[in-house]
Amino acid sequence: MKLPADDYILLSLVNTALRDKFKTLSELCVEWEADENEIRVRLAALGYEYDCEKSRFC
């Protein structure tokens, strides 16, 4: 899956997918064939970090 260019849309898309379909960010990245580090870096630039216990970016 091609990730959205807009980081806020990426945040919304990832958190929704984590809530509705995937248990972990790693699982999402495998399914979407996405680079986990790229997602983490892009969302960190917005001030969001992945919370493993909650399985979402906050």
Side-chain angles (χ1 to χ4, degrees), residues 17-37:
L18 287 169
R19 182 191 69 218
D20 295 345
K21 185 174 180 182
F22 301 103
K23 293 181 182 179
T24 66
L25 179 59
S26 296
E27 189 179 301
L28 177 149
C29 289
V30 168
E31 180 74 24
W32 287 5
E33 298 178 354
D35 182 341
E36 183 174 340
N37 189 54

Side-chain angles (χ1 to χ4, degrees), residues 2-16 25 32 35-49 57-58:
K2 182 173 170 34
L3 298 177
D6 183 284
D7 292 339
Y8 288 102
I9 292 174
L10 176 63
L11 172 65
S12 178
L13 186 65
V14 168
N15 273 345
T16 299
L25 179 59
W32 287 5
D35 182 341
E36 183 174 340
N37 189 54
E38 176 188 353
I39 293 172
R40 287 178 181 267
V41 168
R42 287 177 58 187
L43 298 184
L46 299 177
Y48 292 88
E49 291 186 18
F57 281 88
C58 44

